[in-house]
Amino acid sequence: MEEKIINEERQGESLVVAGISENKRKLFIESYGCQMNFSDSEIVASILKDQGYNTTQNLEEADLVLVNTCSIRDKAEQTVRKRLEHYNAVKRINPGMKVGVLGCMAERLKSKFLEEEKIVDMVVGPDAYKDLPNLLKEVEDGRDAVNVILSKEETYGDIAPVRLGGNGVTAFVSITRGCDNMCTFCVVPFTRGRERSRDPQSIVAEVNDLAEKGYKEVTLLGQNVDSYLWYGGGLKKDFKNATEMQKATATNFSALLELVAQAQPGMRIRFSTSNPQDMTEDVLHAMSRHKNICNYIHLPVQSGSTQVLKAMNRQHTREEYFELIDKVREILPDCGISQDMIAGFPGETEEDHQDTLSLMEYVKYDFGFMFMYSERPGTMAARKLEDDIPTEIKKRRLTEIINMQQKHSAYRTAQFVGQTVEILIEKESKKSDAHWSGRNPQNTVAVFPKENYKPGDLVMVKINDCTSTTLIGEAVGYSKQD
Ligand code: SAH
Ligand code: F3S
């Protein structure tokens, strides 16, 4: 659970699902990076299921190896490179095996992978997964296959993802793709393209389907969920002008949240990620109106200095962020809040760094994901700003930020001791097979002795003790909601 405090990109996890018996070919699919990548891999597995592929966890027996890649920081790319070397070693034993790169590294490194280094057979960008059947034919015919075209429309709304290796209790449902925010440090707008929203009907249908299959919690996913906007069944380009568009019934994020919350009142609803500049009060009110929308907001700020925020092209000041935090606390007094923070952005002074620490002191986040600035090729920061903070200083600042977070996490978990909180049981505790593990609405992990309960149960747990990341308690009965 430490990874919550010092976030690493999720390390490669190869996930499997029960396949179809007629399917004879084997797919090994591994995902790195953000939740969206894991979610996309489920779409890919669904498309390939119809092409005769079942998933396997055994790399050696795979006919096709796909790695869903992350470009967010240099380290993430290095990890994937090492994996590609490993696949190629296996390929020497199993020459029939084909290797493909999916996701964010596809666009940037396609020619390097295919032509210069010849370490992969196929490169597929995040918007081209429906082209996989054609690309696989190319590969079978002995040609390299590549499609990294980014789309303004693709949302995969019509594809029912197969759920890979989940716990059967919690699932992710993507609601937007891409990002238009252009934060100067961030590669996502380049690797994942323009922002587009998926139609609400298909989102609700997917949530209903998950409920039918016994899932108890969904997280609505997007780079920036608050800018979700669907215009009465059409796309922006389908309207003559802005007024026509306004007249059509638009579904914004708070309306979508209500739709989903009402469709499945017995299910927990979460969402991620919120951008401070786009988060509106009506989202907070929707959360307070519906008990099943969890009181937890992942609200990355990146820096506590207005000057750095400006250089990052974040559209708010330190003071505006405080106002938003005050609003959250006013409307949702028991809301969990987490952060993303970057240490050592170009030009960051010691004073800016102190501003970050004092902002953290003000908010006292429940937990956070903290990173050293990593220059990404092609971003505005890489083109216009010198990566001028020495690594030693970046490291020291990051350590101070992490230490501060550790203190606040311990403070937050301690607040729950003595309380009885609602926990959705997800799985067995990693550390003890005699304990269940789940999360409270604020997204803090709790563990407690198993007794008669099972994964998927919503139980009330009396918290007796805690660490800085985990609540420790005992179940006192089912939640009344259950
Ligand atoms: N809105 C997105 C952000 C994606 S990137 C979301 O859904 O979370 C996740 C986090 O990685 C960012 O919030 C930022 O803190 C960090 N990050 C992005 N680019 C980075 C870079 N170049 N160097 C260091 N950290 C970065
Ligand atoms: Fe990246 Fe900023 Fe969008 S961090 S994903 S450009 S909100």
Side-chain angles (χ1 to χ4, degrees), residues 84 88 91 99-101 113-114 118-123 144:
L84 286 175
N88 274 279
K91 213 173 166 175
V99 176
V101 165
F113 286 155
L114 284 169
K118 300 192 195 306
I119 45 175
V120 304
D121 305 287
M122 185 166 75
V123 174
D144 286 345

Side-chain angles (χ1 to χ4, degrees), residues 258-273:
E258 302 231 28
L259 270 180
V260 173
Q262 277 160 357
Q264 291 300 333
M267 228 175 177
R268 273 187 174 182
I269 315 297
R270 298 184 184 276
F271 53 89
S272 188
T273 299

Side-chain angles (χ1 to χ4, degrees), residues 72-73 185-188 222-224 272-273 298 300 302 340-342 369 371-376:
I72 200 80
R73 283 166 290 275
F185 53 81
C186 184
V187 79
V188 170
Q223 300 298 341
N224 181 12
S272 188
T273 299
H298 182 48
Q302 319 296 357
D340 288 350
M341 212 65 90
I342 297 178
F369 305 103
F371 316 98
M372 270 196 290
Y373 172 68
S374 164
E375 187 178 85
R376 307 315 294 134

Side-chain angles (χ1 to χ4, degrees), residues 66-246:
L66 295 178
V67 57
N68 205 339
T69 61
C70 173
S71 284
I72 200 80
R73 283 166 290 275
D74 184 54
K75 208 172 129 230
E77 288 198 350
Q78 297 311 326
T79 314
V80 167
R81 285 195 149 276
K82 286 208 193 82
R83 284 306 280 167
L84 286 175
E85 283 164 24
H86 179 63
Y87 302 153
N88 274 279
V90 177
K91 213 173 166 175
R92 267 174 242 129
I93 309 162
N94 175 8
M97 185 176 111
K98 302 290 179 197
V99 176
V101 165
L102 313 176
C104 286
M105 282 168 80
E107 158 63 25
R108 211 166 76 69
L109 294 169
K110 57 177 190 287
S111 41
K112 237 186 150 73
F113 286 155
L114 284 169
E115 290 147 26
E116 284 175 41
E117 301 175 14
K118 300 192 195 306
I119 45 175
V120 304
D121 305 287
M122 185 166 75
V123 174
V124 193
D127 288 340
Y129 299 144
K130 280 189 190 154
D131 196 27
L132 271 165
N134 300 323
L135 296 167
L136 281 170
K137 277 198 199 86
E138 295 273 312
V139 170
E140 272 162 28
D141 293 346
R143 286 189 295 271
D144 286 345
V146 50
N147 185 345
V148 293
I149 297 168
L150 290 171
S151 158
K152 288 203 176 82
E153 279 125 42
E154 184 62 84
T155 61
Y156 299 112
D158 53 337
I159 294 189
V162 298
R163 304 289 160 185
L164 292 172
N167 50 24
V169 177
T170 61
F172 292 90
V173 172
S174 62
I175 65 163
T176 66
R177 295 186 70 82
C179 187
D180 283 350
N181 277 338
M182 300 300 274
C183 302
T184 56
F185 53 81
C186 184
V187 79
V188 170
F190 303 97
T191 59
R192 289 191 159 268
R194 299 304 300 265
E195 180 185 287
R196 63 226 100 116
S197 296
R198 174 177 170 189
D199 72 289
Q201 289 78 15
S202 80
I203 294 169
V204 171
E206 191 174 326
V207 173
N208 287 342
D209 182 55
L210 285 165
E212 241 169 68
K213 291 187 170 123
Y215 284 82
K216 295 288 161 43
E217 178 183 299
V218 290
T219 303
L220 306 179
L221 268 191
Q223 300 298 341
N224 181 12
V225 287
D226 302 283
S227 63
Y228 176 89
L229 197 52
W230 177 264
Y231 295 98
L235 294 162
K236 253 183 217 174
K237 66 173 175 53
D238 298 327
F239 294 91
K240 264 188 252 139
N241 53 43
T243 327
E244 287 298 305
M245 204 158 70
Q246 293 294 317

